[in-house]
Amino acid sequence: LMPANLAATDDFAVKIVTVNPGNVDRPVVQATVLVCDEATGTLTAVMDGNTLTAIRTGAGGGASADMLARPDSHVLAMLGRGVQARAGIEAVCAVRNIEQVRVFGRNRPRLDQFVADMNALVTADVIACDNATKAVQTADIIYTATDSPTPTFPAAAVQPGSHIIGVGSYTPAMQEVAAAVVRQARVVVDSREAVLAEAGDLLVPIADGTFTADHIWAELGEIVNGDKPGRTTRDQITFFKSVGIAAQDAMAAHVVLGKLEAGC
């Protein structure tokens, strides 16, 4: 259960999430968002949490690219071909002039269909790659949106100045991004508390003694608010790790509900 009540809105939201690894004919992760009036507690909306989660997660990744990726970033590597990957591509393309998107996924027929679908949605040239390393090499922005329990690309494939966005791993044992990559990066997170409870990308190397929790430079909100600087050099590698927080769900639901009430 992920509840949140934001001071800036007049409603609150609760997201109910289920994770069923054995699912074959339906998503492994499923979610529903309930929105209630803050003053009365009355239920005002029920929303598809899978779609809302994809939108808010993609928006978070896009915001990190806006804050941390080099302004002249033109090549995006996307590892994954699910709903999170689609939202991530759209979000990054909204904040940077992306000319090419290289996508890798394990199921080639579904990967080819995903590439065709994305080419109809964005102006960038979306292409399929045979392996993750080929997708990542020389990419300006690397986006991981998989359920892989182990690192999805080698540290040697990352070029200086890259911005990495990790949204796939969501348990302490899952590790999409290798410790060697995280160690050399300026690390920004959506929530310190959340990633230190859930994100294997950080928890595994912390447990191994590769670095400590102090390696986390900032929360993204601190950079957005100007409390801390983001990228400080052109060659600096930056890494945004997101596990998703209830405040994002509540705000996204509030925006959707507002558009519905406005007749959009």
Side-chain angles (χ1 to χ4, degrees), residues 38-108:
E38 183 180 21
T40 65
T42 302
L43 180 68
T44 55
V46 179
M47 300 185 184
D48 172 28
N50 290 13
T51 301
L52 197 73
T53 299
I55 292 171
R56 63 86 153 147
T57 304
S64 82
D66 196 25
M67 295 289 103
L68 298 167
R70 294 196 315 261
D72 60 349
S73 296
H74 298 306
V75 178
L76 166 66
M78 174 58 72
L79 307 185
R81 47 151 190 81
V83 294
Q84 296 286 2
R86 171 175 173 162
I89 290 173
E90 290 184 285
V92 173
C93 287
V95 299
R96 287 295 183 270
N97 181 25
I98 300 299
E99 298 173 355
Q100 185 184 71
V101 181
R102 307 171 189 159
V103 187
F104 171 69
R106 291 188 297 267
N107 185 310
R108 187 60 193 234

Side-chain angles (χ1 to χ4, degrees), residues 79 102-108 111-112 127-135:
L79 307 185
R102 307 171 189 159
V103 187
F104 171 69
R106 291 188 297 267
N107 185 310
R108 187 60 193 234
L111 173 61
D112 290 338
I127 63 173
C129 284
D130 296 331
N131 58 70
T133 300
K134 185 181 295 186

Side-chain angles (χ1 to χ4, degrees), residues 5 10-13 34-45 257:
N5 180 22
D10 54 5
D11 46 46
F12 65 89
L34 309 179
V35 184
C36 298
D37 180 86
E38 183 180 21
T40 65
T42 302
L43 180 68
T44 55
L257 187 58

Side-chain angles (χ1 to χ4, degrees), residues 177-193:
V177 181
V181 176
V182 182
R183 182 180 58 204
Q184 62 182 322
R186 168 162 284 195
V187 178
V188 178
V189 300
D190 51 5
S191 162
R192 282 186 180 85
E193 180 181 5

Side-chain angles (χ1 to χ4, degrees), residues 161-259:
S162 299
H163 175 54
I164 304 164
I165 303 166
V167 305
S169 61
Y170 52 85
T171 73
M174 298 175 73
Q175 193 179 9
E176 272 192 311
V177 181
V181 176
V182 182
R183 182 180 58 204
Q184 62 182 322
R186 168 162 284 195
V187 178
V188 178
V189 300
D190 51 5
S191 162
R192 282 186 180 85
E193 180 181 5
V195 298
L196 290 176
E198 303 174 26
D201 290 323
L202 295 171
L203 292 175
V204 171
I206 287 174
D208 290 344
T210 302
F211 50 75
T212 69
D214 291 338
H215 188 56
I216 297 173
W217 167 248
E219 292 185 348
L220 187 60
E222 293 178 289
I223 294 175
V224 172
N225 291 337
D227 299 325
K228 286 191 173 182
R231 173 179 296 276
T232 55
T233 69
R234 178 172 176 80
D235 289 340
Q236 188 174 53
I237 294 173
T238 54
F239 173 44
F240 173 64
K241 177 56 193 173
S242 170
V243 292
I245 53 178
Q248 294 172 325
D249 297 312
M251 182 54 74
H254 176 76
V255 171
V256 170
L257 187 58
K259 288 183 177 294

